[in-house]
Every structure is written in structure tokens, then in C-alpha cells.
Amino acid sequence: MSLPDPAPSSPLTHFDAQGQAHMVDVSAKAETHRVARATGLIRMKPETFALVAGGQAKKGDVIAVARIAAIQGAKRTADLVPLCHPLPITRVAVEFELDAGRCEVHCTAQVETFGRTGVEMEALTAVQVGLLTVYDMLKAADRGMEMHGIRVLAKSGGKSGDWVA
């Protein structure tokens, strides 16, 4: 059986020369320390924000639960995103910041590994799962919450080097 040429004919590396989706072969890449940082926010009503800030949400400490969920999300990225490689993550750090003036909860995640491919997807997944957990814990009070600005802030390591938004 002959496999399709794995060399992409475009910069979209998850497609082979015939346009079929495939998992990128990273076996020839060097193992390097790789770091990615991502961010996002969830906006809510002032009354809902007060529940978070005051630690009075019915389901418990929203930020503590969201932090654990974000870490778990980073670790499970390859289970959720079909063409992601499972990675030996060496560190996940998640920060939440409350912005009372805008009634927003900001989430920033930094993920690290020593491997052959980057951790941008893991950082993005961590942020999104953290924010989804905030939504889940507060939806009884505010179904109109909105998530915004989920993006990679920076990445380092690998052949392409460093990148900063």
C-alpha cells in the first residue's frame, strides 16, 4: 500500500500534497524547550461579576475551579483537537485577573514542554476551558456572558523561533 506524499504543497501543514488531512510528521524535528502563552476573557453582568469577586457563587470558588479545569484542558488537548500530537507537558501556569470596571474575568495560560512540536494549542485550550468553566459555574445567574479575545500572545522554541503578538 502506498501512502500519499506527506510533503505539503502549501504552508498548511495539516494537509498532504493531495489535500487530505493528516497528522504532521514531527520525527525529524529537534527536541527543544517550547513555551506558548495565550489569553482570553469572559464578560458578564455587574451582579454576576460581584458573585465571582465576592466568592459567593452557588457552585463554589469559581476561579479555583476554573484554574484546575484550564490545567486539565491543556493536558487533554490531543483528545479534543484531532490532529494535535499528545505532548509531555512539563508546566501549565494559569492566571486569572478580575477587571471590576469592565465586569470581565481575564485568563492567561502558559504551557511548556521539551519536545518536537509547540504548545500553542494547549495554551489556547487551557484558556478556553478555563473560561467555559467560569461560564458553567455562573450560567444560572447570567446566560448572556460572552467570551472574547482568545488568542496566542507568544511562543518560543522550535525551528520557527520566537513569535510575539
Side-chain angles (χ1 to χ4, degrees), residues 7-19:
S9 58
S10 81
L12 300 176
T13 58
H14 284 90
F15 295 97
D16 64 20
Q18 289 73 41

Side-chain angles (χ1 to χ4, degrees), residues 87-134:
L87 299 177
I89 293 174
T90 57
R91 180 173 184 257
V92 180
V94 180
E95 304 163 6
F96 285 91
E97 181 182 320
L98 304 180
D99 182 341
R102 298 179 62 106
C103 297
E104 295 172 347
V105 176
H106 296 252
C107 178
T108 303
Q110 181 166 310
V111 180
E112 300 182 31
T113 190
F114 189 83
R116 298 177 191 270
T117 189
V119 286
E120 297 92 353
M121 294 304 297
E122 287 73 12
L124 287 165
T125 302
V127 168
Q128 190 67 69
V129 170
L131 295 175
L132 285 168
T133 300
V134 170

